[in-house]
Amino acid sequence: MNLKTLTEQRSDKQNEMESLLNKVEAEQRAFTDEENELFTQLETDISNLNRTIDSIKKGRELAKEPDEEEKEEKKEEEEEVKENEQRALSEERAFESYIRGVLAENRDDDNLTKGANGAVIPVTIAKKIIKKVYDISPILEKSTKYNVKGKLEIPYYSESGTAKVNMAYATEFTSLEGHIGNFANIELTGYLAGALAKISKSLINNSDFNIVQEVINIMAESIAVFVEKELIKGTSQKVAGLASGVTLSVTSASTSAITADEIIKTKRKIKQRFQKNAIWIMSPETLTAVALLKDDNGRYLLQDDITNDFGYTLLGKPVYESDNMDEIGSGKTVIYYGDMSGLATKFVEELEIEVLREKYADQHAIGVVAWMEFDAKVEDAQKISKLVCATTPEPGNNGNDDNNGNEENPEELNPGEE
């Protein structure tokens, strides 16, 4: 007798028991002796069947070989992956049809729903856009991300001066001197931001044109440029970013140049335990100036390195170029250095995407709008430092001296000098 037969027998007896109970309730009376005997027998039979079914299942699990379990788990995983791929493909086709003006009869089947503002929300497309944003902006990718809605308070433990907790030698029967670190928190809210892309209808009408990938690329590029700018410079009364949260700072002697010594000092502002995942962030123009700096032995500080994603290392750490960084100039923050996990970002993953078909009809185009909520603040100031150009040159330095008044360090260069 197999498990299926036993399960069917149990179901039949459960139905018989339920029918007996319904009959008594409908007639509003007690069991007769015959019905009571039948009910007791059904109860016993169901209990015996349950024990038998459980024993068979347990016996099969014990008898199953580990290899068979692994094969079964792997098969389930493969089926799940295949199912997800098919779902993603179905959503992409539905989204493409929606953009091209072919309305599906039931968008719910393809995970496309109507938002309160009429926005179409394709889950798969939104996730691909977010992933590409992370790929474009390593600052965001390396930050500590909180993908939550609403207000978020992040507590952190601050130790400074006499508040720092220190271990020291002690004498028996002598009280220890106590210190208490300070608990503080940063608050991340959410600031609404939107991106609008206009796409030519001529391209849309071209069946060979991958319209979905174009939307992903356009939106991701737009979002990444905006987000990275806010991470680096911030906006008053909006996202703070690195600009207002980095406290470890080195100021250059010149208003228009930086030196190798100042770069080294910027790196050494970060304690050794936070150096492992540190990166440099600077503009292409600043990178050009840094590329011309040499150490005392005539070796360039900047090195080509094909083993990292950015292609260069400076003092052993990767260098990331960002057009959002300021060029070398009076009072400008020209370099950030450190572990970007010290920057907290709250980035809601669920993008709302709305297709505007008629608004740009006179331009023979359609609009695609993406909305998101975003915030960012420095949550651990120990992990990040910055190099800032002086607002006024040091005495004896007019800002144009090649050696910054130091005969032993002639390699200081301005971005545009040969």
Side-chain angles (χ1 to χ4, degrees), residues 21-40:
L21 289 171
N22 291 338
K23 179 181 178 181
V24 173
E25 286 180 348
E27 297 176 2
Q28 296 183 354
R29 61 177 177 80
F31 279 142
T32 63
D33 291 341
E34 184 179 350
E35 289 170 338
N36 189 57
E37 183 178 349
L38 175 59
F39 185 87
T40 302

Side-chain angles (χ1 to χ4, degrees), residues 327-344:
E327 299 176 20
I328 295 176
S330 177
K332 300 295 186 180
T333 299
V334 294
I335 293 177
Y336 282 111
Y337 173 78
D339 183 348
M340 292 302 120
S341 66
L343 177 66

Side-chain angles (χ1 to χ4, degrees), residues 21 26 45 50-51 59 61 81 122 127 134 138 214 253 255-256 267 278 290 314 333 345 371:
L21 289 171
D45 292 344
N50 282 336
R51 285 196 296 270
E61 289 178 0
V81 170
K127 288 182 178 180
Y134 287 161
E214 183 67 11
T255 60
S256 57
K267 180 180 180 181
V290 171
L314 176 62
T333 299
T345 58
W371 297 98

Side-chain angles (χ1 to χ4, degrees), residues 109-369:
D109 292 340
D110 296 306
N111 216 357
L112 302 180
T113 59
K114 276 284 187 180
N117 59 356
V120 178
I121 308 172
V123 177
T124 303
I125 306 301
K127 288 182 178 180
K128 286 187 176 181
I129 292 174
I130 292 297
K131 182 181 182 302
K132 195 167 183 66
V133 169
Y134 287 161
D135 291 341
I136 295 173
S137 176
I139 304 175
L140 175 62
E141 191 275 329
K142 293 178 181 297
S143 68
T144 300
K145 294 172 283 293
Y146 299 92
N147 296 319
V148 296
K149 296 181 179 179
K151 186 180 294 185
L152 174 66
E153 291 190 354
I154 306 171
Y156 66 91
Y157 186 66
S158 176
E159 292 185 339
S160 60
T162 58
K164 186 176 181 180
V165 178
N166 293 315
M167 175 171 277
Y169 288 108
T171 304
E172 193 174 14
F173 303 115
T174 301
S175 298
L176 292 173
E177 182 179 356
H179 297 285
I180 301 176
N182 301 317
F183 276 97
N185 67 76
I186 65 169
E187 185 179 283
L188 294 176
T189 56
Y191 299 101
L192 185 65
L196 170 63
K198 289 188 287 187
I199 302 174
S200 165
K201 283 188 177 180
S202 296
L203 290 177
I204 293 173
N205 294 332
N206 184 348
S207 60
D208 294 331
F209 181 68
N210 190 338
I211 189 66
V212 174
Q213 190 59 47
E214 183 67 11
V215 169
I216 292 173
N217 291 338
I218 292 173
M219 285 299 169
E221 186 72 31
S222 175
I223 293 170
V225 170
F226 168 77
V227 169
E228 187 168 285
K229 175 180 174 294
E230 294 303 298
L231 290 179
I232 291 174
K233 293 186 174 181
T235 297
S236 177
Q237 305 302 316
K238 297 290 184 181
V239 174
L242 295 170
S244 61
V246 176
T247 57
L248 301 177
S249 178
V250 174
T251 303
S252 68
S254 170
T255 60
S256 57
I258 56 177
T259 68
D261 288 350
E262 290 160 354
I263 292 174
I264 293 170
K265 289 178 182 178
T266 303
K267 180 180 180 181
R268 297 315 306 161
K269 281 284 183 179
I270 305 301
K271 294 180 179 179
Q272 185 63 40
R273 65 178 182 271
F274 301 129
Q275 291 279 350
K276 182 179 179 181
N277 297 315
I279 63 172
W280 299 92
I281 305 171
M282 61 188 75
S283 71
E285 292 77 11
T286 302
L287 180 60
T288 300
V290 171
L292 299 175
L293 295 176
K294 299 177 183 179
D295 61 18
D296 293 338
N297 296 319
R299 296 172 299 187
Y300 287 104
L301 296 183
L302 189 71
Q303 300 291 324
D304 292 332
D305 187 356
I306 62 173
T307 62
N308 75 66
D309 295 336
F310 306 146
Y312 301 101
T313 57
L314 176 62
L315 301 178
K317 297 298 178 181
V319 182
Y320 171 62
E321 297 178 69
S322 174
D323 291 329
N324 291 301
M325 286 292 296
D326 286 330
E327 299 176 20
I328 295 176
S330 177
K332 300 295 186 180
T333 299
V334 294
I335 293 177
Y336 282 111
Y337 173 78
D339 183 348
M340 292 302 120
S341 66
L343 177 66
T345 58
K346 187 170 80 70
F347 190 64
V348 180
E349 287 191 347
E350 293 82 1
L351 291 179
E352 288 191 352
I353 300 177
E354 183 176 1
V355 179
L356 309 177
R357 292 197 184 87
E358 298 180 2
K359 185 174 182 179
Y360 302 101
D362 59 342
Q363 300 178 26
H364 201 247
I366 67 166
V368 181
V369 182

